[in-house]
Amino acid sequence: MAWFKRDKKGIFTSTEDKLEAPDGIWDKCPSCKKPLHYQEQVDNLYICQYCNHHLRIGSKEYFEILFDENQFKELFPKLRSGDPLNFTDSKKYTDRLEESYKKTGLNDAIRSAHGKIEGQDLVIACMDFNFIGGSMGSVVGEKIARSIDYCIKNKIPFLMISKSGGARMMEAAFSLMQMAKTSAKLALLSKARIPYISLLTDPTTGGVTASYAMLGDINIAEPGALIGFAGPRVIKETIKRDLPKGFQTSEFVLEHGFLDFIVDRKELKAKLASFIRMMAN
Amino acid sequence: MDTSFDFEKPIADLQQEIEKVTQIAQKTSVDMSATVKELESKLEKTRAELYKNLTRWQKVQISRHPERPYTLQFIELMCDDFIELHGDRTVKDDKAIVGGFATINGETVMVIGHQKGTNTKLRQYRNFGMANPEGYRKALRLMKLAEKFNKPVVTFIDTPGAFPGLEAEERGQGEAIARNLLEMSVLKVPILCFVVGEGASGGALGIGIGDKVYMLEHTWYSVISPESCSSILWRSWEFKEKAAECLKLTAEDMLANKLIDGIIPEPLGGAHHDPALMAQTIKNQILKDLSKLKKVAIDKLVDQRIEKFCSMGVVQE
């Protein structure tokens, strides 16, 4: 009975294609569960119109939202990960990478670009959560390091948009050392007196929080983002009691003094541009 | 009764045998010294053989041996004088990280390290070597102090990780570690780091940016402990041996990957078999390195330090 058997398996549409989905595609807000129309999401900068929940978006969307006329030059786009440890868990790391290249159309969990924001130069490095959970491996570290070098050389402010579960386990100690690498480069950027803005988005945890995400001249965040060092599950297991409501949200982190302000995605560009203007004159 | 591992059973068996023979010898006053001697040399051989072929997981176990020397013991064994300094000047004094000025062969250095407890009560008091943000901030305060008076910094790393607690998050565990990474990379005095036990992730790296980073022979250093790695990748703690193999976390692996600068040999059977010898070996390394590093202009030293960490990582273009 051939017509009972599917001869094509799974969904083949790449993320790129999905974004140009035809009208009539609906999605559900993960927070308030209300249906969201695709085009409305785009028009609303991927914010739920009902509950103001900021949906998770990637570098493509952030570049589109922030750069003037979506014009930018991508920096070091070809960097890809090696497999220095020959890492294999349930599947080989190299296979996992191949799969992610195909699925996301990205070369790793970060893209960096030079463009203009309200007419002023800015380099933005933005993480992509779709690519192995936005995990930080050698490519993420290297791209940030090179972007900082580029900023120092050309005297351009640097914006880092973090969105990551932390270090990439499949590169083990190499991932760990990216924390050292990026922090050391940021020390040089700081010495050159070039503004560094760190934008923390949902989620920013682990080794990313414990390195570049927390080292901004100003640290800012989108509302409602999960921000922390240890994951909430680990903390709960350690202290053996329930976590208070709102623990490790942007608002919590602001309240404890580790953020300068929380910014709505709709005001993000204007606020960034005015900060950069203030630093420049 | 000292703690021994499953894989050390051949050693324990031989030790028992020796004891038995000695007892018999005492009871019967028969001279059995030849037998004892033979057994003892066999014991040495077995131990050497065993310790030459340790698996990665076995090394992890040794790195956690409850009798291993910790920072304060190392300081006692290798320093002529030590003044412990406390507190981060903001919140409190973290007991999981200790530090202060010490003199080694007449030279003043700032020694900072994780501290684990030596019995149940003290282990709790030291929070099992898991520091809170104030621990990292105390470490940074002491490093800045060292920089001010132009004294080199020596750190001892031995932690199962930065403490994942509620208050730690409130007080910015991530920020505290991040700040240390940044400041240590440009600190204007020589820094030497020794992984003397467990080197778990950011908690270890938080005092681990140095001109020279060494690991003792039977220690581990990685982005996550084998147990946690196993629980994430295989959803169970059962695969810790496999995780340890995957992570390539031993001193040899780390040196082969050029992520550390050298390996410090341990006494046969691990550092806890002869803490004094272990301390002496480390002390010799410190003295050797400091005399070299002090000759390098400090700006150049800092550049080299940054360059070293920035070259770590494997990417394809």
Side-chain angles (χ1 to χ4, degrees):
Chain A
M1 298 284 250
W3 25 276
F4 277 128
K5 281 188 182 152
R6 264 216 280 201
D7 50 358
K8 277 188 183 170
K9 273 195 184 129
I11 297 162
F12 284 93
T13 326
S14 72
T15 321
E16 203 73 5
D17 295 337
K18 271 189 208 155
L19 287 168
E20 276 146 49
D23 257 18
I25 296 290
W26 294 78
D27 208 350
K28 204 162 81 173
C29 169
S31 173
C32 70
K33 317 281 181 213
K34 287 203 175 120
L36 300 172
H37 187 266
Y38 181 74
Q39 193 52 45
E40 275 173 3
Q41 275 181 45
V42 177
D43 296 343
N44 211 26
L45 306 183
Y46 311 90
I47 300 169
C48 171
Q49 54 192 322
Y50 305 104
C51 69
N52 201 38
H53 177 79
H54 284 51
L55 299 162
R56 275 183 195 167
I57 53 174
S59 55
K60 181 177 181 286
E61 291 79 13
Y62 277 110
F63 288 168
E64 208 172 280
I65 291 167
L66 293 173
F67 283 130
D68 296 348
E69 278 104 45
N70 198 19
Q71 292 293 308
F72 57 86
K73 180 181 96 183
E74 191 170 344
L75 304 173
F76 328 108
K78 293 212 177 83
L79 285 187
R80 276 191 176 191
S81 185
D83 181 17
L85 301 177
N86 235 322
F87 199 96
T88 306
D89 51 283
S90 51
K91 45 181 124 147
K92 278 166 85 176
Y93 179 41
T94 44
D95 292 348
R96 207 179 276 273
L97 285 169
E98 278 306 325
E99 237 169 66
S100 301
Y101 296 144
K102 268 197 210 121
K103 193 184 95 190
T104 62
L106 299 163
N107 278 338
D108 210 288
I110 189 169
R111 279 167 78 216
S112 177
H114 175 192
K116 285 189 190 288
I117 169 165
E118 293 188 4
Q120 309 166 92
D121 282 295
L122 180 67
V123 170
I124 305 179
C126 179
M127 302 190 73
D128 279 289
F129 195 75
N130 286 341
F131 196 98
I132 320 188
S135 54
M136 169 184 56
S138 298
V139 174
V140 170
E142 183 66 20
K143 215 180 253 193
I144 293 174
R146 288 194 197 180
S147 301
I148 294 169
D149 284 341
Y150 182 92
C151 289
I152 294 174
K153 195 174 153 220
N154 298 295
K155 298 199 167 53
I156 303 171
F158 182 48
L159 168 66
M160 178 72 227
I161 304 177
S162 297
K163 186 184 284 292
S164 169
R168 187 172 296 168
M169 230 180 301
M170 301 80 165
E171 291 184 36
F174 283 97
S175 302
L176 181 66
M177 295 308 164
Q178 304 312 308
M179 294 167 64
K181 180 193 229 167
T182 51
S183 305
K185 282 286 179 194
L186 284 172
L188 297 180
L189 187 72
S190 177
K191 213 168 112 190
R193 295 181 194 278
I194 291 167
Y196 167 44
I197 304 159
S198 172
L199 171 64
L200 294 84
T201 69
D202 185 60
T204 300
T205 58
V208 171
T209 309
S211 57
Y212 52 85
M214 275 291 165
L215 293 173
D217 292 315
I218 59 169
N219 297 332
I220 62 180
E222 288 188 344
L226 170 72
I227 299 169
F229 174 66
R233 203 168 44 92
V234 178
I235 298 171
K236 209 174 147 182
E237 277 167 23
T238 309
I239 62 171
K240 309 226 161 34
R241 58 189 153 104
D242 282 333
L243 301 172
K245 206 166 167 269
F247 181 65
Q248 290 188 314
T249 57
S250 311
E251 293 72 16
F252 170 93
V253 181
L254 176 75
E255 195 52 41
H256 285 92
F258 294 96
L259 291 175
D260 289 280
F261 54 83
I262 292 172
V263 59
D264 204 281
R265 202 176 280 159
K266 283 178 190 154
E267 293 153 19
L268 180 61
K269 181 169 178 172
K271 254 197 156 152
L272 286 171
S274 80
F275 177 76
I276 294 164
R277 228 178 341 261
M278 281 180 182
M279 292 304 105
N281 66 22
Chain B
M1 175 83 207
D2 62 354
T3 324
S4 69
F5 302 111
D6 292 347
F7 65 85
E8 287 181 314
K9 189 155 186 304
I11 297 176
D13 287 350
L14 278 169
Q15 276 170 336
Q16 256 176 10
E17 214 170 314
I18 292 172
E19 210 165 296
K20 247 191 231 162
V21 172
T22 338
Q23 271 174 7
I24 291 171
Q26 267 170 6
K27 266 190 212 155
T28 58
S29 43
V30 178
D31 183 20
M32 295 182 99
S33 60
T35 325
V36 172
K37 221 172 184 180
E38 199 182 307
L39 280 171
E40 266 170 357
S41 86
K42 198 172 162 196
L43 176 72
E44 279 312 292
K45 244 190 237 160
T46 315
R47 184 174 271 152
E49 197 59 31
L50 202 69
Y51 270 78
K52 217 164 57 194
N53 302 308
L54 291 170
T55 67
R56 293 190 171 93
W57 173 248
Q58 286 165 348
K59 291 207 175 203
V60 171
Q61 287 177 290
I62 298 171
S63 78
R64 294 171 177 164
H65 195 286
E67 281 149 29
R68 267 184 91 85
Y70 304 129
T71 300
L72 287 175
Q73 194 181 353
F74 279 129
I75 291 173
E76 199 185 304
L77 288 169
M78 68 171 80
C79 302
D80 323 317
D81 199 4
F82 175 58
I83 301 175
E84 189 177 347
L85 304 172
H86 295 272
D88 71 337
R89 295 294 183 272
T90 311
V91 178
K92 58 154 93 161
D93 181 46
D94 194 322
K95 311 292 188 240
I97 288 184
V98 296
F101 283 118
T103 49
I104 301 180
N105 268 21
E107 192 175 337
T108 309
V109 295
M110 173 60 78
V111 185
I112 298 166
H114 295 107
Q115 181 64 34
K116 290 178 175 173
T118 45
N119 59 38
T120 309
K121 219 168 192 175
L122 283 176
R123 274 191 267 279
Q124 229 163 23
Y125 176 73
R126 298 291 182 186
N127 202 24
F128 307 91
M130 293 185 284
N132 274 291
E134 45 277 17
Y136 294 101
R137 294 192 178 116
K138 168 163 82 174
L140 181 59
R141 178 176 81 85
L142 299 188
M143 284 187 256
K144 287 282 186 188
L145 204 58
E147 184 184 43
K148 180 175 172 183
F149 297 107
N150 197 24
K151 307 294 177 212
V153 174
V154 176
T155 72
F156 293 115
I157 296 159
D158 186 5
T159 179
F163 187 60
L166 197 109
E167 291 82 8
E169 293 293 322
E170 287 177 345
R171 297 197 286 267
Q173 187 73 283
E175 196 273 344
I177 292 172
R179 187 66 51 201
N180 280 18
L181 303 184
L182 187 144
E183 295 290 351
M184 285 184 89
S185 63
V186 289
L187 199 78
K188 291 189 165 215
V189 286
I191 307 174
L192 301 178
C193 306
F194 295 86
V195 179
V196 296
E198 304 183 85
S201 198
L205 194 65
I207 55 168
I209 311 292
D211 300 298
K212 298 278 177 198
V213 179
Y214 296 102
M215 288 173 71
L216 304 196
E217 196 181 344
H218 305 308
T219 60
W220 67 274
Y221 194 4
S222 195
V223 74
I224 191 167
S225 72
E227 288 92 334
S228 306
C229 177
S230 162
S231 81
I232 292 174
L233 291 181
W234 289 280
R235 314 228 161 257
S236 144
W237 282 39
E238 290 309 300
F239 298 89
K240 48 194 189 289
E241 283 98 341
K242 203 171 162 204
E245 292 296 315
C246 287
L247 288 169
K248 307 246 171 18
L249 40 58
T250 66
E252 275 159 345
D253 294 325
M254 291 291 283
L255 185 65
N257 286 326
K258 298 200 181 76
L259 298 173
I260 56 165
D261 297 286
I263 300 172
I264 311 281
E266 291 190 21
L268 190 57
H272 52 288
H273 273 245
D274 193 347
L277 177 62
M278 189 71 256
Q280 188 58 46
T281 319
I282 297 175
K283 183 176 170 178
N284 292 346
Q285 189 68 46
I286 293 174
L287 292 171
K288 199 170 125 198
D289 281 333
L290 286 186
S291 72
K292 265 192 218 156
L293 292 175
K294 276 203 295 197
K295 287 185 197 130
V296 185
I298 190 63
D299 288 333
K300 200 176 157 205
L301 197 65
V302 169
D303 286 349
Q304 284 171 353
R305 191 187 303 154
I306 293 175
E307 186 46 45
K308 182 177 85 178
F309 282 97
C310 286
S311 68
M312 292 175 184
V314 175
V315 295
Q316 302 169 337
E317 309 252 349

